[in-house]
Amino acid sequence: MATLTILNYPDPRLHKLAKPVQDVDATIKRLVDDMAETMYAAPGIGLAATQVNQHIQLIVIDTSKEQNDLLVLINPKIVVKSGRQEYEEGCLSVPGIYETVARAEKITVEALDKHGKKFKLDVEGLLAVCIQHEMDHLLGKVFVEYLSPLKRNRIKSKMLKLKREKAKA
Ligand code: QAP
Ligand code: CO
């Protein structure tokens, strides 16, 4: 296993559209393992393939307290959604930034698991938020795009400044 490099906002590659996975083969399984390791090492509760510069429809999530309940979603589709909830979100691609975003409260999602087997999941609360956040990444969308242009631009400047400082150090 290996940890992968996470792209940081504002990187244009975070806005690429992910393609469906054609075949859940050994290469995909290895990427699942590496993404899980990368997420746990961060630590984080969700990571989309887009964030590690792999533009395919693959997500790993673990919202459990013990960080021992990995959820793998390949080619996910939200088939039902209802309600509305606000949650303070963060993102491994936008370190240090937490902002409130409104999303559906309950969703039903269909996806393939790590073995390529189709499954359906009914979720709400944090897990529902997390799945919606990660599925946005597959569409090239980062959570800061839900904020006002003023807030988004401030975050963008802050991230670019951090990057410059890191490059100098
Ligand atoms: C998405 O985000 C999420 O800023 C997953 O310095 C987050 O794992 C969905 C992280 C909240 C719903 C609610 C963020 C780690 C991790 C940071 C994450 C940071 C270190 C974010
Ligand atoms: Co994110």
Side-chain angles (χ1 to χ4, degrees):
M1 299 229 282
T3 54
L4 308 168
T5 303
I6 298 175
L7 301 177
N8 274 336
Y9 182 80
D11 186 310
R13 292 168 292 182
L14 285 172
H15 304 300
K16 288 175 76 166
L17 184 66
K19 290 192 163 59
V21 171
Q22 295 299 339
D23 188 13
V24 183
D25 57 15
T27 308
I28 295 295
K29 286 179 179 136
R30 190 199 175 120
L31 180 59
V32 167
D33 289 344
D34 289 347
M35 282 175 57
E37 188 178 337
T38 304
M39 174 182 72
Y40 288 128
I45 59 170
L47 185 69
T50 305
Q51 294 175 273
V52 293
N53 201 28
Q54 298 290 326
H55 303 283
I56 57 170
Q57 294 175 16
L58 165 59
I59 292 166
V60 295
I61 289 177
D62 192 339
T63 56
S64 71
K65 240 197 194 94
E66 290 80 23
Q67 294 261 280
N68 60 359
D69 191 11
L70 183 69
L71 176 64
V72 177
L73 297 166
I74 298 169
N75 302 343
K77 278 186 185 64
I78 293 176
V79 291
V80 187
K81 60 173 163 180
S82 64
R84 181 182 183 275
Q85 62 179 330
E86 288 188 351
Y87 212 98
E88 185 164 276
E89 299 187 12
C91 180
L92 288 171
S93 292
V94 200
I97 303 293
Y98 301 87
E99 294 285 348
T100 301
V101 175
R103 300 189 187 269
E105 182 185 18
K106 294 183 182 187
I107 58 170
T108 302
V109 59
E110 272 179 9
L112 302 178
D113 68 14
K114 194 189 170 178
H115 308 288
K117 196 167 177 290
K118 199 171 167 179
F119 68 103
K120 206 175 191 173
L121 206 59
D122 267 315
V123 293
E124 56 183 78
L126 173 61
L127 183 52
V129 172
C130 200
I131 292 173
Q132 292 172 81
H133 174 117
E134 301 310 333
M135 284 182 70
D136 270 352
H137 277 301
L138 303 182
L139 295 170
K141 186 160 183 171
V142 180
F143 83 109
V144 298
E145 288 167 63
Y146 289 103
L147 309 175
S148 69
L150 178 68
K151 268 195 177 173
R152 185 165 61 249
N153 283 323
R154 281 186 182 152
I155 292 167
K156 202 180 275 184
S157 305
K158 191 173 171 181
M159 292 297 124
L160 290 169
K161 184 164 176 262
L162 271 174
K163 190 180 163 188
R164 279 197 308 276
E165 286 170 358
K166 253 208 212 133
K168 255 197 278 176

